[in-house]
Amino acid sequence: MIERYFDNAATTPVDPRVVEEMLPYFSEAFGNANSIHEPGQRARAAVELARERVAELLGEEDSGWITFTSGATEANNWVLALGTPLVVSPFEHSSVWVTNANFKGEVLENQGYMLQGPRAKASCAAVMHVNNETGAIIDLPPELKVDDSDGGMAFSLLRDLTQSVGKVDLPRMERSYFASLSAHKFYGPKGVGALYSKMCVPATWMHGGEQEDGRRAGTLNVPGIVGMGVAAAIASQEADKNKRFAENLRALVLAELTKISDHKLNSPQNSSPYIVSLSFLGVEGETLAVELDRAGYSISSGAACSSRSTEPSHVLTALGLPIEWLRGTIRISFGKYNTEASAANLANELRKAVEKLRTMK
Ligand code: PMP
């Protein structure tokens, strides 16, 4: 049941208003957005409206800097393919991190969630905005706060906004600024996202056609893009209300958890209210997620993309979380279809599951 789904950082359900506006673009207005005939131009107009809606959600006037992609993973991979040397934060999503498993750049030092500046100048720095595992809002070190391509330590800056858009206030976009996002994190469809590149045109990423002004070839996913646009328009209007609701649910769950001994909140004060990371001593996060699933509640034992891996989270490792706490980590992520009652029940079920698993040891 949708109100018992607390894994909204992994993905959100598609808002029915989004589905409704997407539907005609499958079989009725099915034209190729690059065709010159009327069906093609109708599709093109819908894509351009979506582009404007996404720009508005980002608080930007010029939609021309938006290129639609298959999601934030592709947008991140694209920016990283543009140039080295690179500087990355230790908190990045695996689409930045794994791509660079063998990379020669620099990983920024951190103290808790505080990042230090880079040691050397780089052509590109990647520092995400809201961390997907803990919800932490990551501040840029002053050396990376550039408003001019010559003025700072990095030529361009990639900020992964995947967990931020439609949820929390966005950072100010400077020149040579890249941002990545995915529609399915704000009630749009999966497999569609965007790369925003302010005042710079990224080198062509996919070759083969003139789509997206020659920056990314391939026939456009018109229904998906339309869906992303509608989701963006809805998010622009409802973000504040949804955020207050998430704050409320978060407080409710955390209050209940004070009844559980030996637990730790990994999310800092300066966090998105949508994501809570918790560790419990003496239990396995995965087992806890399975117990909760049996009780009808969906949570995650980490980021969805890494929760099947047995490797400890690189994010929590960078934060210095000892292994006995790392093992017992879960992530709860709220969404607009949760209810106060379901959040209270979730916390209650969580308490029961922790107590049960601890007595089984
Ligand atoms: N960045 C962050 C911060 C994310 O949370 C995710 C999705 N978990 C991605 C990038 C990748 O998004 P997608 O899988 O939609 O490409």
Side-chain angles (χ1 to χ4, degrees), residues 9-10 70-74 76 92-95 128 130-133 160-163 180-185 190-192 303-305 331:
S70 62
T73 297
E74 184 191 324
N76 286 341
E92 298 307 292
H93 179 260
S94 45
S95 56
M128 72 191 329
V130 169
N131 179 260
N132 50 301
E133 290 187 40
D160 182 334
L161 301 184
T162 311
Q163 298 290 350
S180 50
L181 57 152
S182 266
H184 70 105
K185 307 288 187 181
K190 294 168 186 55
V192 56
C305 17
R331 178 184 72 180

Side-chain angles (χ1 to χ4, degrees), residues 122-179:
S123 63
C124 184
V127 180
M128 72 191 329
H129 184 233
V130 169
N131 179 260
N132 50 301
E133 290 187 40
T134 66
I137 295 177
I138 312 291
D139 281 333
L140 281 182
E143 294 84 350
L144 292 179
K145 284 183 184 152
V146 290
D147 56 9
D148 184 296
S149 53
D150 314 314
M153 290 290 281
F155 175 75
S156 59
L157 183 64
L158 165 63
R159 296 219 82 183
D160 182 334
L161 301 184
T162 311
Q163 298 290 350
S164 319
V165 280
K167 294 183 173 160
V168 298
D169 290 342
L170 299 180
R172 206 160 71 93
M173 312 265 196
E174 315 284 5
R175 185 171 181 264
S176 295
Y177 200 110
F178 292 101

